[in-house]
C-alpha cells in the first residue's frame, strides 16, 4: 500500500511539472487582443539584429527607439550588429538543432534574406494585421506590398522605403555619367576614381545595370536561369573591360558602402552610392560629405525598394517584438525617421490616412536640395527583381570579377 501511495505522489508530481511547463509555453498570440499582447510584452527584453553601418541610423535607434519603448511599454530593446547571411546562418543553425528559444527576437531584413528565411520557415507570422499602426501602411504601393517581387503576406512589417542613388562630387565631375557607356568613358579617362562596393549597395548598382542591359520588364517575374546567364554574361564583360581603371586597378574592392563613402570624402573616389535618396543631404548637413556632393539617377532608372522588420519563428519574446514593431511604424516614429536631420528614410505610411496633425508634419518635411525631387525619382523607379538574382550577383561578382 505504501508503495502504491509513493507511485501516486510521483505521478501527481510529474503531472504538476507537466502542467507548469505548459503554462510557461508561449500562448498563441494570434488569438490575443492588442492589450493582452502589450501586457505580455511588459518586462521583456527584445534582442534585435540589424545593420549598423551608419551613425545616423544607430543614433535614431539608440537615442530614440530604445528609450521610447522602455518608457511607453517597459520593453528593453537590445541591438546587435548583423545582417543578411549572419541572420540566416543563426536561425538555420538554431532550427536544425531544434532550439525552441532562439538568440534573436527581431531582425531588419528584405529581399534575399526574407526569401531565405521563408525557405527554412524561419519567420513567425502572419502577424502584421494585428499591429494597430498597420492600418496606416501604404499597402496599395507595390514597392511596399512586395519585397523583391515576393508578397510579404504578413510575415514582415514594412519599415522604410528608399531608392538607389549615384552620388558624385560636382567639384570634380562636371557632367556625371548617366548611362553605362558614359560611365565606361569616364572610368577610362579618370582611372582610379570609381569602384563598386562588395555589399548590398554595390549589388543594387549591378542589378540596375543588369535591368538596363536586359531591357524594361525582361527580368520581371520569377528567376529565369537562361535570361540571367545571357544578360549577366554581358554585365561581367562590361565590368571587366573597365575594371583595370577602377580604384586600386580593380585588384580590390571596398567591403561596404561606408568604406566607399570614406574614400569619396578623402577625394580618392569621384563617386559613391547610396540606397537612401536623402543620404546626400543628410551627410552634407552633418559635415561629412563635401558641400559639392550631389545625388543623381541613371537614365535607365534605379531600383526602389522597401526594408522590413521580421520576427524569428523561435523568438521567446514575440509579444515584445510585436510591440516594438508597432512603435517603429507609428506615425510619430516614422516622421522622426523621415526627417533629413535624423535619418531621412522614406516612410511606408500613407500620409492621407494619418490624423491631420501628424500628416501636416510630414507635408512640411524639408525637401532634398542635393538630390532629384520625388516626382523625378518615381519616374525613374525600377521594381526589384526576384531574390535569386541578388543571390547570384553576390556569388558571380566574386567569381567573375573579384577573382579574375
Amino acid at each position: 500500500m505504501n508503495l502504491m501511495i509513493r507511485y501516486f505522489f510521483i505521478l501527481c508530481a510529474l503531472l504538476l511539472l507537466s502542467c507548469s511547463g505548459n503554462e510557461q509555453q508561449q500562448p498563441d498570440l494570434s488569438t490575443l487582443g492588442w492589450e493582452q499582447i502589450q501586457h505580455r510584452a511588459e518586462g521583456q527584453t527584445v534582442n534585435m539584429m540589424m545593420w549598423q553601418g551608419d551613425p545616423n541610423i544607430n543614433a535614431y535607434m539608440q537615442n530614440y527607439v530604445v528609450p521610447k519603448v522602455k518608457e511607453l511599454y517597459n520593453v528593453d530593446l537590445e541591438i546587435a550588429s548583423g545582417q543578411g547571411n549572419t541572420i540566416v546562418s543563426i536561425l538555420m543553425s538554431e532550427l536544425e538543432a531544434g532550439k525552441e528559444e532562439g538568440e534573436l527576437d527581431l531582425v531588419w531584413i528584405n529581399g534575399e534574406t526574407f526569401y531565405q528565411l521563408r525557405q527554412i520557415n524561419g519567420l513567425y507570422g502572419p502577424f502584421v494585421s494585428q499591429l494597430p499602426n498597420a492600418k496606416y501602411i501604404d499597402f496599395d504601393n507595390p514597392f511596399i506590398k512586395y519585397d523583391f517581387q515576393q508578397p510579404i503576406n504578413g510575415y514582415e512589417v514594412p519599415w522604410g522605403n528608399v531608392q538607389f542613388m549615384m552620388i558624385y562630387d560636382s567639384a570634380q565631375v562636371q557632367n556625371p555619367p548617366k548611362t553605362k557607356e558614359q560611365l565606361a568613358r569616364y572610368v577610362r579617362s579618370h582611372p582610379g576614381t570609381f569602384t563598386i562596393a562588395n555589399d548590398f549597395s554595390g549589388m543594387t548598382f549591378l542589378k540596375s545595370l543588369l535591368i538596363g542591359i536586359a531591357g524594361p520588364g525582361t527580368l520581371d517575374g520569377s528567376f529565369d536561369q537562361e535570361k540571367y546567364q545571357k544578360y549577366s554574361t554581358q554585365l561581367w564583360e562590361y565590368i571587366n573591360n573597365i575594371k583595370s581603371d577602377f580604384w586600386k586597378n580593380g585588384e580590390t574592392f571596398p567591403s561596404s558602402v561606408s568604406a566607399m563613402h570614406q574614400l569619396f570624402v578623402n577625394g580618392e573616389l569621384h563617386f559613391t552610392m547610396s540606397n537612401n535618396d536623402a543620404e546626400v543631404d543628410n551627410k552634407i548637413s552633418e559635415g561629412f560629405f563635401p558641400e559639392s556632393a550631389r545625388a543623381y539617377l541613371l537614365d535607365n532608372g534605379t531600383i526602389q525598394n522597401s526594408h522590413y522588420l521580421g520576427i524569428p519563428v523561435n523568438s521567446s519574446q514575440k509579444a515584445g517584438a510585436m510591440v516594438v514593431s508597432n512603435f517603429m511604424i507609428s506615425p510619430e516614429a516614422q516622421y522622426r525617421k523621415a526627417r533629413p536631420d535624423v535619418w531621412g528614410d522614406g516612410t511606408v505610411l500613407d500620409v492621407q490616412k494619418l490624423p491631420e496633425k501628424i500628416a501636416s508634419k510630414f507635408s512640411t518635411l524639408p525637401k532634398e536640395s542635393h538630390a532629384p525631387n520625388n516626382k523625378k525619382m518615381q519616374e525613374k523607379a525600377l521594381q526589384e527583381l526576384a531574390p535569386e538574382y541578388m543571390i547570384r550577383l553576390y556569388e558571380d561578382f566574386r567569381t567573375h570579377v573579384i577573382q579574375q
Side-chain angles (χ1 to χ4, degrees):
M1 191 66 167
N2 289 340
L3 188 59
M4 289 182 65
I5 292 172
R6 285 181 63 197
Y7 281 139
F8 174 77
F9 280 113
I10 290 171
L11 180 60
C12 287
L14 290 171
L15 286 171
L16 285 170
L17 285 171
S18 175
C19 291
S20 175
N22 287 336
E23 286 177 0
Q24 291 176 0
Q25 288 179 2
Q26 292 190 64
D28 181 0
L29 297 183
S30 66
T31 66
L32 301 183
W34 185 248
E35 287 187 5
Q36 293 172 295
I37 290 171
Q38 275 191 301
H39 178 69
R40 289 187 175 275
E42 288 183 20
Q44 289 190 347
T45 297
V46 173
N47 293 311
M48 180 178 184
M49 180 164 280
M50 61 178 284
W51 180 69
Q52 291 189 300
D54 186 287
N56 293 315
I57 295 174
N58 299 341
Y60 171 77
M61 293 300 297
Q62 293 292 349
N63 301 335
Y64 176 68
V65 176
V66 169
K68 274 294 186 181
V69 295
K70 179 64 174 177
E71 173 195 343
L72 296 173
Y73 311 110
N74 191 27
V75 172
D76 291 294
L77 179 61
E78 296 187 353
I79 300 172
S81 181
Q83 59 181 318
N85 290 339
T86 302
I87 293 169
V88 174
S89 177
I90 289 171
L91 272 166
M92 186 178 292
S93 298
E94 289 178 346
L95 295 176
E96 287 176 352
K99 192 174 180 181
E100 294 182 2
E101 294 192 357
E103 175 184 338
L104 306 175
D105 302 303
L106 192 62
V107 289
W108 184 17
I109 57 175
N110 78 344
E112 78 279 10
T113 306
F114 177 60
Y115 167 77
Q116 290 167 328
L117 292 177
R118 291 289 279 144
Q119 292 294 302
I120 62 172
N121 295 317
L123 289 174
Y124 170 71
F127 72 92
V128 176
S129 63
Q130 288 181 268
L131 308 182
N133 288 322
K135 65 186 176 185
Y136 299 125
I137 295 176
D138 187 8
F139 283 117
D140 290 332
N141 185 339
F143 291 97
I144 293 172
K145 183 178 181 179
Y146 298 98
D147 183 4
F148 281 49
Q149 302 198 20
Q150 306 162 98
I152 61 177
N153 290 335
Y155 281 86
E156 57 178 359
V157 189
W159 188 31
N161 178 261
V162 293
Q163 188 162 337
F164 179 84
M165 289 280 161
M166 298 289 291
I167 298 173
Y168 71 104
D169 185 351
S170 61
Q172 302 286 341
V173 183
Q174 301 305 310
N175 297 300
K178 296 183 178 180
T179 67
K180 63 182 179 61
E181 292 78 16
Q182 291 174 6
L183 178 61
R185 287 196 292 272
Y186 190 93
V187 169
R188 291 192 183 107
S189 58
H190 301 82
T193 62
F194 183 85
T195 191
I196 301 168
N198 185 23
D199 70 350
F200 187 89
S201 295
M203 296 310 106
T204 303
F205 168 70
L206 291 174
K207 203 186 314 182
S208 297
L209 291 182
L210 186 70
I211 293 171
I213 291 169
T218 303
L219 299 176
D220 287 353
S222 56
F223 178 74
D224 187 309
Q225 170 62 31
E226 186 175 337
K227 287 180 180 178
Y228 174 77
Q229 189 63 39
K230 175 181 178 181
Y231 298 115
S232 67
T233 298
Q234 296 176 44
L235 174 65
W236 305 134
E237 181 180 1
Y238 167 78
I239 295 295
N240 284 321
N241 278 340
I242 57 176
K243 186 180 78 163
S244 62
D245 288 316
F246 278 13
W247 175 73
K248 298 290 186 184
N249 305 119
E251 295 173 358
T252 186
F253 292 83
S255 60
S256 68
V257 73
S258 301
M260 196 168 169
H261 285 348
Q262 190 61 59
L263 293 170
F264 175 73
V265 169
N266 293 346
E268 292 186 62
L269 296 178
H270 290 176
F271 300 86
T272 186
M273 304 170 185
S274 177
N275 276 299
N276 186 346
D277 45 90
E279 185 168 19
V280 65
D281 282 275
N282 191 306
K283 286 189 164 24
I284 288 174
S285 65
E286 69 184 34
F288 183 60
F289 278 178
E291 289 282 348
S292 51
R294 301 288 184 273
Y296 74 101
L297 298 159
L298 300 174
D299 280 351
N300 286 329
T302 61
I303 288 171
Q304 182 183 135
N305 63 31
S306 293
H307 46 93
Y308 303 80
L309 302 168
I311 300 175
V313 69
N314 62 345
S315 161
S316 61
Q317 313 291 318
K318 292 185 179 72
M322 289 175 69
V323 165
V324 172
S325 298
N326 187 61
F327 172 76
M328 288 163 78
I329 59 168
S330 67
E332 295 78 11
Q334 286 278 300
Y335 166 74
R336 187 174 183 86
K337 186 158 66 78
R339 282 172 42 179
D341 61 327
V342 175
W343 179 342
D345 197 33
T347 185
V348 295
L349 305 184
D350 182 346
V351 177
Q352 302 301 317
K353 295 179 180 179
L354 301 181
E356 185 177 348
K357 186 176 181 180
I358 188 71
S360 65
K361 293 176 74 173
F362 275 96
S363 66
T364 58
L365 280 169
K367 307 299 181 186
E368 291 90 354
S369 58
H370 300 91
N373 60 43
N374 288 338
K375 184 174 183 293
K376 186 71 172 177
M377 288 192 297
Q378 203 59 45
E379 290 172 354
K380 294 287 187 179
L382 300 175
Q383 282 278 4
E384 274 286 8
L385 301 181
E388 295 95 327
Y389 286 101
M390 190 72 145
I391 294 168
R392 288 295 302 274
L393 284 173
Y394 268 115
E395 296 171 354
D396 292 348
F397 181 64
R398 184 180 65 252
T399 56
H400 295 303
V401 177
I402 294 177
Q403 295 176 357
Q404 293 300 309

